[in-house]
Amino acid sequence: MRHIRFCVLLLLASCTTVGFHRESVRESFEYGKMKTIRICVWKDENVSPERMNYLFDSWNEELVLYNLQAKVSQVKDWKRPGWTGRAIMEELYSAELPEGCDRILALAGFKASDIAYEFASYILALFLIPTFEVLGAVDSPTGSRGFVLAHTASLGHLITGGASNTIVHEGYHLLGCGHSFYLSECYGQIQKLKTTADIAGDSFFPVTHPKSGFITSRRELNYFFLGR
């Protein structure tokens, strides 16, 4: 029993957060009119349309705080590569953002390797070797593409709130927010992003520029990743 409690603590320690809400700070910002972020979804073969819609509903419950809405613009049938999140991100980094989309989000389905990894992490925990279960990720330079594990299939995932919490977490990264204890800085980031979107127009919802400011066109973003 002591070992089980220890494993749970390790799983909790491996969870990072984009921050907790501070309502008084959030309400001090103006977020303007409602804006839509168009998402190209890569849907794994064992992720149902109902599951996809459920996750987007969870995400939009959070986005409404900022007068934002995530809308599925295109759905691509996709098969999750490799055993780890790294293989998914490598594929995302080489992908062109299609016309009519502002972000790419891969919904990775459950694989038997996920359970194997979880059991291996429990064994390693007995020897005080920490492991970290990657439930989702977003590219750091721009926050324009990422993935989430679409099914809650492990104890660690359940403890951290499941897939519906993961998509909210990664959704903040898709808005250019980093990790922090509170979301205070993120509120300002979202306000700047929306102000830039108002100036740039409706053809593309901006992403963070890796140096400073924002990338305001799909063409510029694709050039950054693909060089063309």
Side-chain angles (χ1 to χ4, degrees):
M1 187 67 182
R2 183 177 62 183
H3 292 318
I4 293 174
R5 288 198 298 268
F6 179 70
C7 289
V8 170
L9 287 172
L10 275 178
L11 287 165
L12 284 169
S14 69
C15 175
T16 55
T17 176
V18 289
F20 297 101
H21 277 294
R22 298 184 70 183
E23 291 187 10
S24 60
V25 177
R26 187 184 71 234
E27 292 171 358
S28 69
F29 288 91
E30 291 288 338
Y31 300 105
K33 63 182 181 180
M34 181 65 70
K35 286 282 187 180
T36 298
I37 308 172
R38 295 162 297 184
I39 312 295
C40 267
V41 175
W42 292 6
K43 188 176 71 65
D44 206 345
E45 55 190 3
N46 63 345
V47 176
S48 68
E50 292 76 18
R51 186 66 180 171
M52 177 183 71
N53 292 335
Y54 164 74
L55 293 175
F56 269 77
D57 287 345
S58 299
W59 187 11
N60 279 319
E61 286 180 9
E62 186 79 4
L63 288 178
V64 75
L65 296 172
Y66 313 103
N67 288 337
L68 285 170
Q69 179 187 41
K71 179 182 178 182
V72 177
S73 179
Q74 299 178 27
V75 178
K76 170 185 172 181
D77 292 327
W78 170 72
K79 185 175 181 179
R80 173 183 169 184
W83 283 57
T84 66
R86 180 175 181 176
I88 300 174
M89 291 306 296
E90 286 176 351
E91 187 171 347
L92 285 166
Y93 264 75
S94 64
E96 181 177 13
L97 183 68
E99 193 70 28
C101 292
D102 304 312
R103 306 288 191 274
I104 301 174
L105 181 64
L107 300 181
F110 168 78
K111 294 181 74 170
S113 59
D114 296 332
I115 296 298
Y117 180 89
E118 183 178 19
F119 278 112
S121 69
Y122 294 158
I123 294 171
L124 290 172
L126 298 177
F127 297 95
L128 305 182
I129 302 173
T131 58
F132 302 95
E133 183 179 14
V134 178
L135 307 175
V138 168
D139 80 279
S140 297
T142 68
S144 65
R145 59 205 63 210
F147 80 92
V148 299
L149 296 186
H151 300 116
T152 306
S154 71
L155 178 60
H157 205 177
L158 181 64
I159 288 172
T160 57
S164 60
N165 190 67
T166 301
I167 195 170
V168 170
H169 176 108
E170 302 304 337
Y172 275 108
H173 293 322
L174 289 169
L175 296 174
C177 298
H179 291 113
S180 183
F181 193 75
Y182 289 111
L183 280 164
S184 302
E185 290 187 11
C186 185
Y187 302 144
Q189 162 71 14
I190 294 172
Q191 184 190 54
K192 292 176 184 176
L193 191 63
K194 291 199 68 179
T195 300
T196 303
D198 287 336
I199 297 171
D202 295 329
S203 61
F204 179 68
F205 192 85
V207 299
T208 302
H209 194 286
K211 292 184 178 179
S212 65
F214 300 97
I215 294 174
T216 57
S217 75
R218 192 174 294 102
R219 181 178 180 181
E220 183 183 359
L221 179 63
N222 283 330
Y223 184 82
F224 173 79
F225 279 98
L226 305 175
R228 63 176 189 273

